[in-house]
């Protein structure tokens, strides 16, 4: 399939499906909080953990894995002792930032 | 409490809590689909139901109730036989529309 064809197909997708996909990508109790944290800096696992006191180890590991699988976050492991793992919001992940900005306005209205 | 005080309090709310509130308001499988439907027109219950073939009666009734309780949608019942019930996105509900617009862009990227 050529990239052009993919693009055409995307154009024909009903808006309801596009909204649903967007909801899948951003919804979740912690997802946008983590993306917001990574907005302008690369962080180590422990730094993310400390910045979100309410999150459990298990959930944070799962969330980070999902963000990597969705292609929004790059994970880099360094061969060091103790092990160092860093997370960075990549180009695709940056497309979500405008959602956080408008959603914060909504949050303020409904607070 | 004066409106000014409320405003000051909102200003001091940590961004994480504001994002969480925004997520609470917009997340859910059908919520934004319904809001998008009501974007520029008042609709009767049956019209909404027909426009979203995938939704069950129970879930749609629950979702509409939530939207009314959140203060985003106004419900008007007319004393007619058969009963007529109409739903309209109000001013507060309209604050969510920019989220749908940027979220659609995200949906397209991740499609």
């Amino acid at each position: 399939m050529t990239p052009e064809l993919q693009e055409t197909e995307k154009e024909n997708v009903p808006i309801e499906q596009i909204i649903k996909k967007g909801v899948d990508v951003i919804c979740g109790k912690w997802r946008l909080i983590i993306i917001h944290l990574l907005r302008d800096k690369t962080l180590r696992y422990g730094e993310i953990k400390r910045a979100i006191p309410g999150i459990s180890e298990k959930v944070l590991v799962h969330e980070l894995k999902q963000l990597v699988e969705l292609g929004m976050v790059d994970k880099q492991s360094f061969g060091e002792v103790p092990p160092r793992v860093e997370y960075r919001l990549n180009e695709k992940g940056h497309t979500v930032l405008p959602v956080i900005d408008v959603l914060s306005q909504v949050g303020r209205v409904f607070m």
Side-chain angles (χ1 to χ4, degrees), chain A:
Chain A
M1 194 187 293
T2 67
E4 261 169 299
L5 231 178
Q6 284 184 326
E7 201 47 49
T8 313
E9 281 188 350
K10 272 189 201 176
E11 291 300 320
N12 291 334
V13 173
I15 183 69
E16 291 78 12
Q17 279 187 38
I18 290 168
I19 294 172
K20 267 191 196 171
K21 171 58 77 174
V23 166
D24 279 353
V25 169
I26 68 136
C27 285
K29 192 175 171 193
W30 303 106
R31 184 155 297 175
L32 291 183
I33 308 285
I34 297 171
I35 294 171
H36 177 69
L37 260 181
L38 295 171
R39 176 184 283 264
D40 49 17
K41 49 187 180 296
T42 297
L43 289 178
R44 296 173 65 156
Y45 175 81
E47 291 172 315
I48 301 171
K49 181 85 184 69
R50 277 191 295 279
I52 314 176
I55 201 167
S56 75
E57 190 102 6
K58 187 181 162 189
V59 171
L60 179 55
V61 168
H62 178 73
E63 269 301 315
L64 288 170
K65 200 169 165 232
Q66 291 255 296
L67 287 169
V68 172
E69 281 175 7
L70 280 163
M72 303 162 81
V73 166
D74 294 333
K75 174 183 180 177
Q76 197 175 0
S77 304
F78 297 86
E80 297 178 5
V81 181
R84 178 156 64 104
V85 182
E86 287 185 354
Y87 294 90
R88 192 183 67 84
L89 200 64
N90 62 24
E91 198 186 342
K92 201 170 174 186
H94 273 87
T95 63
V96 175
L97 296 179
V99 177
I100 297 181
D101 298 334
V102 291
L103 197 65
S104 303
Q105 291 165 28
V106 171
R108 275 178 220 278
V109 169
F110 286 84
M111 211 80 201

